[in-house]
Amino acid sequence: MKIAIIAHDAKKELMVQFCSAYCGILSKHTLIATNTTGKQVSEATGLPIKRYLSGRGGAEQILALLSCNEVDVLLFFRDPINPKSTDVNDMNLLRLCDVHNVPVATNIATAEALILALERGDLDWREVGSPGI
């Protein structure tokens, strides 16, 4: 499965810790990320990650993949305390997940639930039931 990883600046370290903790599960899947987040996670875990542009540009590239139904899971650690000018992109990411039934986690609690569901095979319907993936 293809897992997209995005984290706001204040949540990047949390994303690194999360990916380190679940490295064994994540290593079985294709990982993509915005540049800075992907670099930090890859350096900490050794996981291969296809990296897109940093910030807004990378989010837009992942938006394009979501719009083509080419992402199976989105791990998007948002900073709800400090809103950014990228909030429009953030909402578009979430909207496209809704449109294409892409499971999304915006915090560590939902990310853990998704990653454990992924490991159990609960999300295998994404590969079977989604054309173009």
Side-chain angles (χ1 to χ4, degrees), residues 45-82:
T45 63
L47 290 168
I49 300 174
K50 173 155 175 62
R51 297 187 340 228
Y52 292 94
L53 296 173
S54 291
R56 180 179 290 169
E60 288 175 359
Q61 290 175 301
I62 292 174
L63 270 168
L65 292 171
L66 278 165
S67 68
C68 296
N69 201 23
E70 293 182 16
V71 174
D72 296 300
V73 174
L74 174 62
L75 302 178
F76 177 26
F77 287 7
R78 300 171 56 214
D79 180 4
I81 305 301
N82 300 305

Side-chain angles (χ1 to χ4, degrees), residues 72-97:
D72 296 300
V73 174
L74 174 62
L75 302 178
F76 177 26
F77 287 7
R78 300 171 56 214
D79 180 4
I81 305 301
N82 300 305
K84 303 259 188 277
S85 62
T86 58
D87 280 353
V88 171
N89 273 353
D90 295 355
M91 292 312 296
N92 284 333
L93 284 165
L94 298 175
R95 181 182 59 81
L96 283 172
C97 287

Side-chain angles (χ1 to χ4, degrees), residues 5-81:
I5 299 170
I6 302 173
H8 286 163
D9 290 344
K11 300 293 181 172
K12 287 191 190 314
E13 181 56 34
L14 183 61
M15 181 64 80
V16 168
Q17 292 171 8
F18 176 82
C19 291
S20 294
Y22 291 103
C23 187
I25 296 170
L26 292 170
S27 68
K28 300 173 188 172
H29 302 280
T30 301
L31 304 177
I32 64 172
T34 51
N35 188 51
T36 306
T37 302
K39 181 179 181 198
Q40 290 179 5
V41 170
S42 183
E43 287 175 352
T45 63
L47 290 168
I49 300 174
K50 173 155 175 62
R51 297 187 340 228
Y52 292 94
L53 296 173
S54 291
R56 180 179 290 169
E60 288 175 359
Q61 290 175 301
I62 292 174
L63 270 168
L65 292 171
L66 278 165
S67 68
C68 296
N69 201 23
E70 293 182 16
V71 174
D72 296 300
V73 174
L74 174 62
L75 302 178
F76 177 26
F77 287 7
R78 300 171 56 214
D79 180 4
I81 305 301

